[in-house]
Amino acid sequence: MLVTYKYFFLTPEIWDALRAAAEADLTLAQAIVDSAGVIVQSADLTICYDERGAKYELPKYVLSEPTNLIREG
């Protein structure tokens, strides 16, 4: 597996915190990013930094509910 420098210093704990924050309501999301030491640069969580300055970029499609799925029922 090839690990590039860009992703070498990103930690799973921060990714987990960002995922939890994206799935939470606003108050809980703020508490999650604060406790994880995440610095949110954009209001929609697409660009964040950890305490060491590593950049975490989330595409907008992972932060919204899918609109093109068919519900089976």
Side-chain angles (χ1 to χ4, degrees):
M1 181 171 125
L2 177 64
V3 177
T4 62
Y5 179 78
K6 180 179 179 181
Y7 298 106
F8 186 73
F9 293 105
L10 304 182
T11 63
E13 294 81 14
I14 299 297
W15 285 119
D16 290 343
L18 290 173
R19 180 179 182 174
E23 295 174 349
D25 64 44
L26 184 59
T27 305
L28 181 56
Q30 185 65 55
I32 292 168
V33 296
D34 288 346
S35 66
V38 173
I39 301 158
V40 180
Q41 182 176 355
S42 60
D44 60 1
L45 286 176
T46 55
I47 301 174
C48 302
Y49 294 89
D50 66 15
E51 293 173 328
R52 297 172 300 135
K55 185 177 184 180
Y56 295 76
E57 295 182 73
L58 299 171
K60 288 188 182 231
Y61 68 85
V62 302
L63 298 170
S64 61
E65 293 293 324
T67 59
N68 61 347
L69 297 179
I70 299 171
R71 295 186 188 265
E72 294 184 22

